[in-house]
Amino acid sequence: NLDGEALVRAPEVTANFGVDWTISVNNRFLRDITLRGDIFYSDEYKLTFIDYPETRQDSYTTGSASILFTSPSERYMLRAFVDNIADEELLFNGSYLATTGAFIGYYSEPRTYGAEFTINF
């Protein structure tokens, strides 16, 4: 009987805030530069029907940032980014294995960064 138990993967509060700022350059190589930042907050939540401490994700805040360079024709774009800036360790999925009495979990990606080059046809 799970009467009165909280829903799985249902934090009471989540919030997402994003902002971007575009700087017009307008020269022969570059039309504009766009800076973007995002912050996401989640209250704690459980990952299984029965609330084990090992399958509970604590509240967390994570952020990402990027810079985008756009060509005058908008055909070429170069974007550099970093995700999970604070390198938060987030439990993405968790389970209790009754046969062995063990808990298993899968975590989200650590801090990642990279670049993307796009060509529009």
Side-chain angles (χ1 to χ4, degrees):
N1 182 359
L2 298 174
D3 189 37
E5 286 285 331
L7 293 174
V8 173
R9 297 180 185 272
E12 285 189 31
V13 175
T14 61
N16 192 29
F17 177 76
V19 63
D20 62 25
W21 178 38
T22 300
I23 304 163
S24 292
V25 177
N26 291 322
N27 65 30
R28 71 180 233 209
F29 300 108
L30 198 58
R31 189 186 94 190
D32 51 46
I33 300 170
T34 302
L35 305 169
R36 178 153 185 93
D38 292 282
I39 296 174
F40 177 77
Y41 168 80
S42 176
D43 219 355
E44 67 180 0
Y45 56 90
K46 67 181 192 172
L47 295 163
T48 56
F49 289 111
I50 298 175
D51 195 7
Y52 300 107
E54 294 85 354
T55 58
R56 181 171 262 309
Q57 173 58 56
D58 293 332
S59 62
Y60 66 92
T61 303
T62 188
S64 62
S66 67
I67 184 169
L68 174 68
F69 301 94
T70 305
S71 71
S73 66
E74 296 184 28
R75 183 168 184 210
Y76 304 103
M77 290 181 272
L78 176 63
R79 178 178 170 261
F81 65 89
V82 60
D83 292 329
N84 192 5
I85 293 172
D87 201 20
E88 289 285 329
E89 189 174 273
L90 306 172
L91 186 59
F92 181 70
N93 195 1
S95 297
Y96 172 67
L97 301 174
T99 56
T100 62
F103 292 92
I104 61 170
Y106 302 97
Y107 289 86
S108 63
E109 293 185 13
R111 179 185 308 122
T112 55
Y113 51 90
E116 301 171 338
F117 182 69
T118 303
I119 301 174
N120 293 314
F121 296 97

